[in-house]
Amino acid sequence: MKSGFALLAIFIILRGSDSTILKALQRAGSITHSSGGAEVISFCNVFFFSSLVCGLAMVLYDKNALVMSLPRLQKNDRLLLMLQSFSGFFLGPVAFFFALSHLTVVQQTLLFSLTLPCTVILANLLLKEQFPRFFAISIFLISIGLFMANYGESSLPMAMANQTAGISWGLLGVISLSFSGILNRITAQRGFGVGLTIGVNSLAAAVAFGIIALLIYGPSHFYYLRIWWVLGVIGAYAITISLGSVFTLMMCYEKLGVITVSFWSSLTILVAIAAASILLAEPLQWQSIVGAVIILAAILAMQFSTKPNLRV
């Protein structure tokens, strides 16, 4: 049990640091590029390497089950996996990246807290699952929390630039990841392993990101891999954040169960805010802190009242 909670703490730290690390890479790439360097940080190369690393690891991890599952896939199964790959492994991360490029880490983190209630709504519409008992109250509290957080962050210079575009990308990401969450439940019910749902889907997304990078930027987009780029993009983000969070989450599910992990993983919101303040020196307004606490309370209440099959 102790090792399970230790792994859960590592997962919360890794997942909570996602936006902060990615934002730091965006800033480093922008500074380098503006001074004549070629190390642009784009959604293409960042997610190409992270998807490639994560996909290869999951395929190798689950290779025996994957070899047995591939020949048995029906046409509907392939379509389901394609939709899951597009929504959760391509469109969701792209929207996540562009939302972060226009918003502060705090704004982006709190905006993506809408993923859970959006998933619950889609589960009700598509899978006919019942709403949790405290759903209406949680939605009300999240709305208040987002309003207060935005009121606090709106006075910051960084938050004023292209905020509308950032919110639009964020909402697109929320919808994409929520739809992917629904597909995750369906694939889990069909007995698909991580080799298919994570490994193959990640590799498919990596191919898409690589092709887009070649078409938009050319081969040079992958040539200039200086030390900071390799350590930052491939090391810190692809291996540590992407792959590390996936592996620790899988191990947490095995040791602690879905209910416990889903409940405590909501603390990633507080980690993200703390990491942004410490590592990126993003100023925090008291309204943002109060808004984050309200949103966290709403999510915890929703998780507490949600049946196991509704959990994301």
Side-chain angles (χ1 to χ4, degrees), residues 205-263:
V207 172
F209 287 126
I211 292 174
I212 293 174
L214 292 175
L215 292 176
I216 296 179
Y217 300 101
S220 62
H221 206 48
F222 298 101
Y223 287 170
Y224 300 94
L225 304 182
R226 296 185 181 179
I227 293 298
W228 76 265
W229 202 99
V230 173
L231 294 178
V233 175
I234 301 178
Y237 193 80
I239 297 178
T240 305
I241 300 298
S242 296
L243 183 58
S245 61
V246 168
F247 263 116
T248 51
L249 179 61
M250 289 170 50
M251 297 174 70
C252 287
Y253 280 153
E254 293 178 2
K255 293 180 177 294
L256 301 175
V258 176
I259 296 177
T260 301
V261 175
S262 299
F263 184 85

Side-chain angles (χ1 to χ4, degrees), residues 44-45 98 103 110 145 150 201 250 289 294:
C44 301
N45 52 25
F98 283 113
L103 302 173
L110 298 184
N150 184 70
N201 283 336
M250 289 170 50
I289 298 176
I294 293 175

Side-chain angles (χ1 to χ4, degrees), residues 36-242:
E39 296 87 347
V40 179
I41 296 295
S42 72
F43 73 91
C44 301
N45 52 25
V46 168
F47 293 127
F48 169 77
F49 285 106
S50 62
S51 299
L52 183 63
V53 168
C54 192
L56 288 175
M58 291 295 104
V59 166
L60 293 175
Y61 177 83
D62 196 36
K63 61 180 180 180
N64 292 332
L66 181 61
V67 171
M68 295 178 59
S69 300
L70 283 176
R72 301 176 183 176
L73 292 178
Q74 303 296 322
K75 183 178 180 180
N76 290 339
D77 296 331
R78 296 189 184 96
L79 178 60
L80 184 66
L81 289 170
M82 289 174 60
L83 290 174
Q84 186 184 29
S85 179
F86 177 75
S87 61
F89 294 83
F90 180 79
L91 185 58
V94 170
F96 183 90
F97 182 92
F98 283 113
L100 187 61
S101 65
H102 294 295
L103 302 173
T104 65
V105 171
V106 174
Q107 286 179 316
Q108 190 251 21
T109 299
L110 298 184
L111 182 59
F112 272 80
S113 67
L114 292 172
T115 303
L116 176 60
C118 185
T119 303
V120 173
I121 293 174
L122 288 178
N124 176 264
L125 295 175
L126 301 178
L127 304 180
K128 307 303 179 183
E129 295 182 356
Q130 294 182 350
F131 288 116
R133 287 179 299 165
F134 302 146
F135 183 71
I137 297 176
S138 297
I139 291 294
F140 177 72
L141 291 176
I142 289 175
S143 300
I144 294 178
L146 286 174
F147 175 79
M148 290 194 64
N150 184 70
Y151 179 79
E153 295 286 320
S154 62
S155 61
L156 301 177
M158 186 184 302
M160 295 297 293
N162 300 322
Q163 191 177 50
T164 301
I167 293 175
S168 299
W169 278 110
L171 293 177
L172 177 61
V174 166
I175 295 173
S176 300
L177 295 177
S178 299
F179 184 67
S180 178
I182 300 300
L183 297 177
N184 288 343
R185 295 179 194 171
I186 298 176
T187 55
Q189 292 172 356
R190 296 191 180 185
F192 294 167
V194 295
L196 269 177
T197 57
I198 300 179
V200 173
N201 283 336
S202 294
L203 291 179
V207 172
F209 287 126
I211 292 174
I212 293 174
L214 292 175
L215 292 176
I216 296 179
Y217 300 101
S220 62
H221 206 48
F222 298 101
Y223 287 170
Y224 300 94
L225 304 182
R226 296 185 181 179
I227 293 298
W228 76 265
W229 202 99
V230 173
L231 294 178
V233 175
I234 301 178
Y237 193 80
I239 297 178
T240 305
I241 300 298
S242 296

Side-chain angles (χ1 to χ4, degrees), residues 277-301:
S277 177
I278 296 172
L279 301 178
L280 298 180
E282 285 193 4
L284 291 178
Q285 307 295 315
W286 68 267
Q287 298 96 327
S288 300
I289 298 176
V290 173
V293 172
I294 293 175
I295 291 174
L296 179 61
I299 291 177
L300 292 176

